[in-house]
Amino acid sequence: MAYHKVNADQRAQGHSPYLDNDDLQATALELEWDMEKELEEPGFDHFRLDGAVQHHLGNSQSPDLDLEPIQPSASPKGRFQRLQEDPDYISHYTRQAPKNNRCNFFQILKVFCTALIVFIFGIVIGYYSGKKCPSPPASPEPNNPHIYHEILKEIKAENIQQIYRDFLQFPREDDVDTAMKILGQWTSHGLEDVQLVNYSVLLDLPGSSSNTVTLKNSGECFYPDGLQCNRGTKTLHSQDLLYSYAAYSAKGTLEAELVDIQYGTIEDLIRIQAITNVTKKIALLKLGQSPLLYKLSLLEDAGFGGVLLYVDPCDLPKTTDLADKAFMVSLNSGGDPSTPGYASIDGSYRQHRLNLTTLLVQPISAVLAKKLISVPENTVQKDRCVPLQLPSTEKKIISLNIQSVTTYRTISNVIGYLKGTVFPDRYVLIGSHHSSLNTSSGQEWASSTAIITAFIQALMLKVKRGWRPDRTIVFCSWGGTSFGNVGSYEWAEDLKRVLQRNVVAYVSLHNPVRGNSTLHPIASPSLQQLTAESQSFNCVEKAKCPRSNVSSVQMQGDSDYFINHLGVPATQFSYEDINKSENSSFLSEALFPVHATKTEELDPSFKLHETIGKLTGHVTLQIANEPVLPFNALDIALEVQNSLKVFIGDEVDASQLLVVASQLRDTAELFQSDEMRPANDPKERAPIRVRMLNDVLQSLEKSFLVQQAPPGLYRFNAAIFLV
């Protein structure tokens, strides 16, 4: 405004031919009036001072302008007052109309601009909402049981049976060939990312002929199943005879006295050592009650030279007939013995360990055990089973001959990934195993592999329609399980840091159908509630569906490393014929030969396989899709408290431990009510809080890891044992 005012005055002084004096005065008055009104507004004090400074500086930089007609005054009102003193000043001149017109113009301009912006914004929204942008498909209702039902209904008995028979049609080749065929099956069902991971490991394989046990008192020679060596039956089930051995046992021949130590407990050893010297003698040992590796460590420390293992018929279910069957065991605590604690990858240092114990260990059948201790074949009296026991008055001298070959072989793992959409860096592992090394386990691997393949098939049908889990599901088929879970150990040791941080849970399919009488669910403490609830889910459409109590006993198979080294919670469903005797625990360490005909006899319709597949699938889907991990902290505290009560009893010195366990239970209850309840309510759920809570739940069982547990002991039992 000051610029126009100056020009107007200059034109007035120069007598412009285009403007007369009246017009010039009116124009000057109009500009001065506007300035006067703006300067008088209370919000423009700062603007007035700045404008004055800029006006002065601007005039000092324009030497051509003659500003004499406009004299600066001390007050902004000075120029207006001088105009009022001018005789030609029109006192009745009004400015109301021009100002209103100007305000209306700016208001109209603002409305127009606002409308234009809204219009453009609406066009942009309409364009992008109508455009089909590629985005990762996600489950619209991740917690809706209807989604789970649609997936699980595709797991059918006939599909599992067909897959099972397809696997058995493969010729018995090496481990890599079998793994490649499994990889082809998974890929054909649509699983996108499937990998074959190979490791060169040290395996202890049987020799060219079977091991033998010779009774020196009579000179009779026996094979592990109880058949005499001089009979022409060596070729009958020759593979079963060869694989009736203890992998990684010491090799050679030992002649010594046979000492019956029953189950090899500490009490049994104290009793025997009190009456005889056990150095370099051969122990007659029953499987059961406690882990085999733990008992062997006690025998080795006591000075024994050899061990004959057998399963007492009284500890077996009445529905099984394994008395004349020898079996295989592995003395390997896990992984490749040549690389203990680290992965067998290129460049790794190798320790060539021919055996993992100084004991000569040989599994034998119950029939042979009876012959060695000279008891009648029939030990059942009036519906009561009499446990086998060597009479204390008899002295038996036997010769034990063990030969096996330690060599490097390539074992393969098949790993498939179904990537999650919400938490792709959190993994739910589901594992089975395969075997093609003619091990004693025979054809039982095909059951677990068929179930996991059927689950993949059902999942991928839903994935093709746009669904995906929230967390990544990792499907695993392990190699070398019979030799000490070698494949799973090597893979986990290779990726230990990633797995320790990202694995949420492990769902096991180790030997899913071992019998047909009882459903036997096993779960880590934090997964016991979910495992029990999954049984109810599977019973919805069944008129009769007996539920089984969830056990927390030690779990066998490839879940071992994830449970005991990474602190990952695990669960497993299986059908078994269970003897409820306390001595029957840990009998699954014995790998009896299982043939295809046996599996078809146990489950001719494959309905048991279907049930295991659906239970396993439901647990996997729950863990992979629930916003808050379905873990129960209170069950962990209860497990600790109950275990302490059992192991400690009424010992006064340990009372403080029970007090601490009680405090742990109280804290867990508070955690369940204050943290878990709000997080499970969608109205109170905050994403950041849920992520933090899941990290806490994922790490709960890691707090109970035992770095140097006794051989073969589960970490919870080991923690109590060390107390």
Side-chain angles (χ1 to χ4, degrees):
M1 287 184 292
Y3 176 81
H4 290 291
K5 174 179 175 295
V6 169
N7 280 279
D9 287 353
Q10 286 178 336
R11 290 171 187 168
Q13 290 182 358
H15 303 284
S16 172
Y18 301 102
L19 292 173
D20 57 10
N21 291 333
D22 292 339
D23 293 336
L24 179 61
Q25 290 179 359
T27 303
L29 175 62
E30 182 177 316
L31 294 174
E32 187 68 13
W33 181 272
D34 288 343
M35 177 178 285
E36 177 66 18
K37 298 299 288 185
E38 292 176 359
L39 292 175
E40 286 182 345
E41 291 178 7
F44 284 81
D45 292 342
H46 181 70
F47 172 80
R48 180 179 65 236
L49 295 175
D50 293 344
V53 174
Q54 293 175 1
H55 175 73
H56 176 71
L57 294 174
N59 293 340
S60 65
Q61 295 175 1
S62 302
D64 296 333
L65 294 177
D66 185 9
L67 301 180
E68 282 300 326
I70 303 177
Q71 298 293 335
S73 63
S75 172
K77 296 183 180 181
R79 178 60 182 167
F80 181 67
Q81 291 172 352
R82 287 199 299 272
L83 287 174
Q84 286 182 321
E85 297 172 358
D86 193 279
D88 296 328
Y89 172 70
I90 303 174
S91 61
H92 59 274
Y93 187 84
T94 176
R95 288 288 301 139
Q96 192 65 28
K99 182 168 183 172
N100 287 340
N101 293 337
R102 192 158 166 247
C103 291
N104 291 337
F105 172 77
F106 281 109
Q107 290 179 355
I108 294 172
L109 182 62
K110 290 180 181 178
V111 172
F112 176 79
C113 292
T114 303
L116 182 62
I117 293 173
V118 172
F119 178 75
I120 296 174
F121 190 71
I123 292 177
V124 173
I125 292 177
Y127 174 78
Y128 282 101
S129 63
K131 184 180 179 181
K132 294 182 179 180
C133 299
S135 58
S139 173
E141 297 174 293
N143 300 323
N144 189 351
H146 180 67
I147 300 293
Y148 304 155
H149 177 74
E150 287 184 353
I151 295 173
L152 298 179
K153 73 178 182 180
E154 299 296 334
I155 301 177
K156 301 176 182 179
E158 53 269 24
N159 293 342
I160 299 175
Q161 186 178 37
Q162 184 60 48
I163 296 171
Y164 174 83
R165 291 175 176 174
D166 289 344
F167 280 131
L168 292 183
Q169 289 178 359
F170 297 154
R172 299 302 297 270
E173 301 171 355
D174 62 15
D175 198 76
V176 178
D177 292 333
T178 303
M180 284 295 297
K181 291 164 185 173
I182 296 173
L183 184 147
Q185 282 267 2
W186 292 6
T187 304
S188 66
H189 292 307
L191 196 59
E192 302 135 354
D193 186 4
V194 188
Q195 303 173 4
L196 192 69
V197 186
N198 298 328
Y199 296 98
S200 178
V201 298
L202 187 66
L203 299 181
D204 190 33
L205 302 175
S208 57
S209 60
S210 176
N211 299 334
T212 59
V213 178
T214 303
L215 185 59
K216 287 296 182 178
N217 301 55
S218 60
E220 294 178 288
C221 174
F222 299 96
Y223 291 123
D225 61 354
L227 296 177
Q228 290 190 1
C229 302
N230 57 1
R231 290 186 180 181
T233 57
K234 184 176 180 180
T235 58
L236 182 63
H237 297 305
S238 59
Q239 288 296 329
D240 293 347
L241 283 176
L242 288 178
Y243 279 86
S244 299
Y245 79 115
Y248 304 102
S249 166
K251 289 86 174 169
T253 302
L254 176 64
E255 183 176 326
E257 180 184 352
L258 184 66
V259 178
D260 185 5
I261 59 170
Q262 291 295 297
Y263 293 97
T265 63
I266 294 178
E267 292 77 10
D268 290 332
L269 287 176
I270 293 175
R271 174 178 54 83
I272 293 298
Q273 287 179 314
I275 59 177
T276 185
N277 181 13
V278 299
T279 304
K280 297 300 180 182
K281 292 185 179 180
I282 299 175
L284 183 62
L285 175 66
K286 296 180 182 181
L287 280 180
Q289 286 197 7
S290 58
L292 173 62
L293 294 183
Y294 173 64
K295 294 193 287 188
L296 292 180
S297 68
L298 297 179
L299 297 180
E300 192 172 12
D301 292 341
F304 279 93
V307 178
L308 291 180
L309 299 173
Y310 74 101
V311 178
D312 195 313
C314 296
D315 296 333
L316 291 171
K318 294 181 180 180
T319 56
T320 59
D321 184 17
L322 299 174
D324 60 341
K325 300 290 192 302
F327 52 91
M328 172 187 174
V329 295
S330 175
L331 309 186
N332 180 15
S333 59
D336 180 6
S338 68
T339 58
Y342 53 96
S344 297
I345 57 178
D346 293 341
S348 297
Y349 172 71
R350 302 276 181 171
Q351 303 177 28
H352 192 64
R353 305 165 71 185
L354 298 179
N355 49 268
L356 301 179
T357 179
T358 59
L359 298 172
L360 276 74
V361 183
Q362 175 60 49
I364 61 174
S365 67
V367 170
L368 179 55
K370 293 176 183 179
K371 292 178 179 179
L372 295 178
I373 62 179
S374 302
V375 298
E377 289 290 331
N378 187 7
T379 57
V380 178
Q381 300 176 357
K382 297 181 180 180
D383 297 329
R384 187 177 66 88
C385 185
V386 179
L388 297 180
Q389 186 173 3
L390 179 67
S392 57
T393 57
E394 289 193 35
K395 184 176 182 180
K396 300 283 184 177
I397 304 297
I398 65 171
S399 176
L400 180 59
N401 178 34
I402 295 179
Q403 51 182 338
S404 57
V405 179
T406 305
T407 182
Y408 285 95
R409 290 289 185 88
T410 298
I411 58 106
S412 302
N413 299 325
V414 185
I415 311 294
Y417 299 87
L418 178 57
K419 190 173 182 180
T421 57
V422 181
F423 308 107
D425 61 335
R426 291 296 180 261
Y427 308 143
V428 181
L429 271 60
I430 173 171
S432 64
H433 69 277
H434 59 267
S435 174
S436 61
L437 294 172
N438 295 319
T439 57
S440 176
S441 56
Q443 306 292 338
E444 56 82 20
W445 66 269
S447 293
S448 62
T449 308
I451 292 175
I452 195 173
T453 303
F455 181 44
I456 291 173
Q457 184 180 21
L459 271 177
M460 297 313 297
L461 291 175
K462 194 68 175 176
V463 170
K464 291 175 182 177
R465 295 195 292 266
W467 177 89
R468 275 187 179 272
D470 289 348
R471 298 178 180 88
T472 298
I473 302 178
V474 183
F475 303 93
C476 312
S477 181
W478 308 113
T481 299
S482 301
F483 296 93
N485 309 317
V486 178
S488 57
Y489 259 74
E490 294 310 307
W491 185 76
E493 287 174 346
D494 195 8
L495 304 172
K496 182 176 181 178
R497 292 187 178 181
V498 175
L499 298 177
Q500 197 165 28
R501 182 177 63 252
N502 295 345
V503 173
V504 171
Y506 185 94
V507 183
S508 175
L509 278 169
H510 182 74
N511 295 354
V513 180
R514 308 172 202 173
N516 55 11
S517 60
T518 306
L519 177 63
H520 183 50
I522 306 175
S524 298
S526 62
L527 283 176
Q528 288 184 11
Q529 180 177 342
L530 175 63
T531 304
E533 292 173 352
S534 295
Q535 294 185 76
S536 301
F537 179 86
N538 188 60
C539 292
V540 172
E541 298 181 355
K542 296 183 179 180
K544 183 180 179 181
C545 185
R547 295 183 58 183
S548 302
N549 293 327
V550 180
S551 172
S552 61
V553 300
Q554 184 160 329
M555 197 179 302
Q556 302 297 319
D558 291 289
S559 59
D560 178 72
Y561 189 91
F562 302 96
I563 296 174
N564 298 321
H565 293 265
L566 300 181
V568 174
T571 184
Q572 171 184 292
F573 294 94
S574 62
Y575 272 98
E576 299 182 19
D577 298 323
I578 298 178
N579 187 333
K580 296 184 179 179
S581 169
E582 63 178 9
N583 299 329
S584 62
S585 58
F586 298 99
L587 293 185
S588 58
E589 293 180 319
L591 303 179
F592 287 95
V594 178
H595 301 282
T597 54
K598 179 64 175 178
T599 301
E600 303 256 8
E601 290 173 3
L602 288 173
D603 187 19
S605 65
F606 275 73
K607 287 295 183 181
L608 301 183
H609 286 76
E610 178 183 322
T611 301
I612 296 297
K614 289 184 175 180
L615 289 171
T616 301
H618 183 257
V619 169
T620 304
L621 290 173
Q622 285 277 96
I623 301 174
N625 286 282
E626 290 294 327
V628 179
L629 289 172
F631 298 168
N632 195 313
L634 182 58
D635 286 343
I636 298 178
L638 291 173
E639 179 74 15
V640 172
Q641 190 177 38
N642 294 335
S643 298
L644 282 173
K645 288 180 180 179
V646 171
F647 281 86
I648 294 176
D650 298 328
E651 295 183 19
V652 179
D653 296 340
S655 60
Q656 186 61 33
L657 287 175
L658 294 176
V659 173
V660 175
S662 179
Q663 294 174 351
L664 176 63
R665 176 178 177 176
D666 295 339
T667 302
E669 290 178 345
L670 188 64
F671 176 79
Q672 291 287 123
S673 60
D674 291 359
E675 299 294 336
M676 293 292 290
R677 184 196 58 77
N680 283 305
D681 186 353
K683 297 180 180 179
E684 302 182 32
R685 187 181 297 153
I688 296 179
R689 188 174 184 84
V690 168
R691 180 68 184 229
M692 294 173 61
L693 179 60
N694 284 337
D695 289 343
V696 172
L697 292 171
Q698 183 181 333
S699 303
L700 284 177
E701 297 206 11
K702 291 180 173 62
S703 303
F704 297 91
L705 288 175
V706 178
Q707 297 299 326
Q708 294 181 343
L713 281 178
Y714 180 64
R715 55 191 168 89
F716 270 98
N717 294 337
I720 305 301
F721 177 86
L722 292 177
V723 170

